[in-house]
Amino acid sequence: RSFLQLLGCPADFDLEEDVLDIIKLFSSALLVGEIQNDDEEIMLEVPLLSCHFRELLTSITNNLGSDDVWVDKDPNLLAFEALLRFSGGDTVCQNLDMVEPILRRHLSDGMSEESSIDHGVKMKMLGLIESAISGSSDQSKDIQPFAAKLIENVIVPNLAWRAGGVAAGVRKLALACLFSLLRRTGQYPDCLFQTAPRLLPVLRTNIDDSDSSARQLVCLCLAFIFKAIPGALGEDAVHQLYPSLIKCLDDNSDEVRIIVCGTLAAFLKASPSKSFQGTAIDVIVEQLLVHMDDPDKAIQKAVFDALLVTLSVDCGVVIKQTERAKLSHRSSKLCEELLSRAKECSQGHP
């Protein structure tokens, strides 16, 4: 426990490397293992702490009452941060039964004006869980039982839009947490079926974030969700979401424009074709064709790939609008290729 308090000291104390060296000696003496080193930095995983994670966490939280929360720079908060940072992602995820309630206590009220929890504490908590999830092994199944709780109680409340730079920072960290979590749990659709009704509306509001990297994360998260629930998205959700996704094609970041093409491709498979009939598919195809004439070949390719997916929704609309678009495009090559694919599809040869 003393080592944790020392590791939690501010960086200007310059204690971290010395403390890790001492822990390394203890680890070697106890045959627990050694801290791995590379040429530039000590790896942030200490076997000795991992072995005693549950006992150490219990000692840190012993004085935390049922309604208590930590304030910034609280010694116990600093020890908690050090324990999670230096135990490694797999160890943290294996002990989410103890960690998740602490995260929920500090994060479940989001950025509401009534929240009494320091914003710095919220950012610290979100950063810790994002690092733990992204640092866990791809094969880890320890996260899955807690994924829905983390989404509903830790992430979603902190995605709600609030004015100000601090709130924007919290939202971006929450998006990073969600992205890392979806990468690990996307193969478990039950979690996303359960959480999608709360997730999709709040992600839609974040698609207009002023930070382009946040917009990228939103599009990537939406793509993960759509891929996990093929054919299950309701018609109302389709009509609520498609205008926001189409708007991203005009984003001032080319990275966002390319990413949203993949999101649209997944979106078009997330609901039965009949959900898109009428205005939705007309507008989607029309706008994709506009952007297929972009001078950037990477954007052209991304848009073309999305348009191929629209063929399974309504070949007739694609053929009609592509015939019209090729007359105004700088090059008709991609339009001709799309028309060829569309005619094959309409003749029953996908």
Side-chain angles (χ1 to χ4, degrees), residues 15-258:
L15 292 174
E16 185 175 296
E17 188 171 343
D18 291 337
V19 175
L20 287 174
D21 284 341
I22 295 170
I23 297 177
K24 179 181 177 181
L25 292 174
F26 271 86
S27 296
S28 300
L30 295 172
L31 302 178
V32 174
E34 296 187 359
I35 300 173
Q36 298 178 355
N37 293 275
D38 64 29
D39 294 337
E40 296 185 8
E41 62 182 358
I42 297 174
M43 295 291 288
L44 299 185
E45 185 167 345
V46 183
L48 188 60
L49 297 181
S50 301
C51 288
H52 298 281
F53 186 94
R54 296 182 78 84
E55 299 97 310
L56 288 167
L57 186 53
T58 299
S59 74
I60 292 169
T61 57
N62 262 344
N63 296 323
L64 195 63
S66 58
D67 297 320
D68 293 341
V69 293
W70 286 318
V71 296
D72 202 18
K73 299 192 174 20
D74 184 305
N76 288 316
L77 172 60
L78 297 176
F80 176 77
E81 179 184 14
L83 178 61
L84 268 62
R85 281 179 58 213
F86 291 101
S87 293
D90 283 334
T91 298
V92 175
C93 292
Q94 288 161 13
N95 292 282
L96 279 172
D97 60 312
M98 295 182 70
V99 174
E100 188 272 336
I102 299 170
L103 297 172
R104 185 185 345 130
R105 181 182 300 198
H106 291 84
L107 293 166
S108 62
D109 62 351
M111 293 294 290
S112 66
E113 294 178 1
E114 295 78 20
S115 175
S116 61
I117 301 171
D118 186 277
H119 294 163
V121 173
K122 289 181 181 291
M123 295 184 77
K124 193 167 290 185
M125 291 283 182
L126 287 167
L128 287 171
I129 192 59
E130 193 285 324
S131 295
I133 294 170
S134 62
S136 64
S137 61
D138 290 340
Q139 295 75 31
S140 175
K141 295 183 179 179
D142 298 303
I143 304 171
Q144 194 269 333
F146 297 92
K149 287 183 179 180
L150 288 170
I151 290 172
E152 292 183 341
N153 300 321
V154 171
I155 294 173
V156 167
N158 292 284
L159 289 176
W161 193 90
R162 301 278 176 188
V166 174
V170 169
R171 283 198 307 277
K172 188 172 177 180
L173 273 172
L175 283 168
C177 285
L178 180 62
F179 174 70
S180 295
L181 188 61
L182 292 175
R183 288 180 63 193
R184 293 291 187 272
T185 62
Q187 68 268 39
Y188 304 111
D190 287 351
C191 165
L192 294 179
F193 276 114
Q194 178 182 338
T195 57
R198 286 195 68 196
L199 257 182
L200 292 176
V202 76
L203 285 173
R204 181 170 63 87
T205 64
N206 277 278
I207 212 163
D208 292 323
D209 196 287
S210 59
D211 186 332
S212 64
S213 59
R215 298 195 299 276
Q216 289 180 44
L217 285 169
V218 171
C219 292
L220 290 168
C221 288
L222 285 170
F224 274 119
I225 296 169
F226 296 148
K227 289 174 184 176
I229 55 170
L233 195 65
E235 187 171 344
D236 286 345
V238 167
H239 289 277
Q240 289 167 10
L241 286 165
Y242 86 82
S244 298
L245 294 174
I246 287 299
K247 186 178 177 181
C248 287
L249 291 170
D250 283 314
D251 199 278
N252 57 19
S253 163
D254 285 348
E255 288 83 359
V256 172
R257 297 176 68 200
I258 290 171

